[in-house]
Amino acid sequence: MNRHQPTLVVALGGNALLRRGQPLDAEIQRSNIAMAAATLATLSQEWRLVLVHGNGPQVGLLALQNSACHDVPPYPLDILGAESQGMIGYMLIQALKNRLPDTEVTAVLTQVEIDPNDPAFQAPTKFIGPVYTAPQVAALPVGNGWVMKADGQYLRRVVPSPRPQRIIEAQAITTLTAHDHLVICSGGGGIPVAAIHGEMRGIEAVIDKDLSASLLARQINADALLILTDADAVYADWGKPTQEALRQTTPRGLASMHFDSGSMGPKIQAACEFVNTTGGMVGIGALADGVAILHGTKGTRITRD
């Protein structure tokens, strides 16, 4: 990297690191992360990268493992989110350094301030952990307090997902980026914290990583935002015979369309907020197509009206 490169925030989905239906296995994650590192290494030739990653499958696994121990009370989701930042950050650093041995790669444990009165606490929507069949859900320990919702043909745990208000470590991230570090931060959308009685406290929630990446991109004055997911593009009329991939669109063009709140909806919201605020460009598409998305030959590009 060099100081003349534009800055790109990349939001890498947790399901891109551990694909839907794959076992929650460390070696499978290492293999997927190695493939992600290949795309990121190519992007780093043109951009100064700041990487935000999801943690839905991983933090859910930690919660599941945590619930199996009856000797201590279960750890709250903010602590499990911090654990997942370290776990995924470590694997990303190792894979990226193997691809880019001359690049400084740094993971920043990142807190994100939220509103403790956010209405999201009354309506959990964020999927975490593995998928279950109905008989598997029936066999889960009674009284675990989990809320389950349909995720495709399966059931999956959902938790509150409050809106991110401020990336607390934004200045540290800016400083590292200015010194040519490839920065990994806001993992899982960041560790949710709130000011309570004059002190920052962890909050039981998981922040949407795309909304967090968009906020981060605005706070650090990034030039573009790239959202990589398990869909190859944004589609109009998704799931209908008339579905069509949108290759080039604008926030105004997207405003009249409906996108599911559990999948593409937050990505569209994050993209439009970044474009409308900064005038920068957002790309959305598959991990393997990262470079082509930014060049406009694959995926979806969203630009100002």
Side-chain angles (χ1 to χ4, degrees):
M1 292 188 290
N2 65 68
R3 297 175 190 277
H4 301 292
Q5 288 177 312
T7 299
L8 173 68
V9 172
V10 180
L12 185 63
N15 288 324
L17 304 178
L18 192 60
R19 299 182 193 122
R20 189 183 305 274
Q22 284 187 322
L24 303 180
D25 181 271
E27 290 309 310
I28 290 175
Q29 291 184 75
R30 285 183 190 273
S31 176
N32 290 341
I33 284 173
M35 289 187 284
T39 295
L40 295 166
T42 303
L43 286 168
S44 73
Q45 297 172 14
E46 298 182 38
W47 300 85
R48 193 183 303 185
L49 296 185
V50 179
L51 176 60
V52 174
H53 61 80
N55 74 343
Q58 295 82 2
V59 78
L61 172 61
L62 290 174
L64 193 61
Q65 292 172 331
N66 194 37
S67 66
C69 178
H70 303 292
D71 295 332
V72 295
Y75 280 21
L77 281 173
D78 60 301
I79 292 179
L80 299 182
E83 287 187 31
S84 74
Q85 284 192 9
M87 174 178 68
I88 300 169
Y90 157 67
M91 289 191 283
L92 283 167
I93 288 173
Q94 192 170 78
L96 287 165
K97 287 293 287 184
N98 286 337
R99 288 274 180 176
L100 302 166
D102 296 325
T103 299
E104 295 292 340
V105 183
T106 304
V108 177
L109 198 65
T110 313
Q111 302 171 93
V112 176
E113 187 172 5
I114 58 96
D115 179 355
N117 297 313
D118 191 303
F121 290 103
Q122 306 306 316
T125 59
K126 180 67 175 174
F127 289 114
I128 67 169
V131 295
Y132 297 92
T133 62
Q136 287 173 325
V137 170
L140 290 173
V142 176
N144 60 18
W146 290 4
V147 178
M148 309 294 288
K149 289 188 178 180
D151 184 9
Q153 61 181 321
Y154 298 100
L155 293 166
R156 200 172 175 197
R157 183 185 177 189
V158 290
V159 299
S161 183
R163 281 188 60 84
Q165 303 289 327
R166 180 172 66 99
I167 312 294
I168 292 179
E169 284 76 21
Q171 185 57 54
I173 294 163
T174 299
T175 300
L176 288 165
T177 304
H179 286 81
D180 293 333
H181 287 237
L182 193 165
V183 181
I184 302 162
C185 59
S186 295
I191 304 163
V193 298
I196 299 175
H197 304 306
E199 294 184 346
M200 282 295 178
R201 304 278 182 87
I203 299 295
E204 183 83 352
V206 173
I207 300 170
D208 182 85
K209 69 101 182 36
D210 297 309
L211 294 177
S212 188
S214 175
L215 176 61
L216 173 68
R218 284 174 272 145
Q219 279 193 236
I220 68 172
N221 298 314
D223 299 281
L225 171 64
L226 178 61
I227 299 175
L228 298 176
T229 182
D230 52 3
D232 65 344
V234 177
Y235 282 79
D237 296 336
W238 172 253
K240 299 179 181 178
T242 53
Q243 76 175 34
E244 180 183 6
L246 304 174
R247 297 301 177 194
Q248 183 73 39
T249 187
T250 65
R252 184 179 300 174
L254 294 166
S256 62
M257 301 180 189
H258 171 74
F259 298 97
D260 187 74
S261 61
S263 55
M264 191 57 74
K267 295 173 175 54
I268 298 301
Q269 183 181 353
C272 292
E273 288 177 357
F274 178 77
V275 173
N276 286 332
T277 302
T278 70
M281 183 268 292
V282 177
I284 302 178
L287 171 61
D289 299 333
V291 175
I293 294 166
L294 294 176
H295 290 166
T297 57
K298 288 191 176 181
T300 299
R301 294 205 326 167
I302 304 169
T303 55
R304 178 170 279 178
D305 295 300

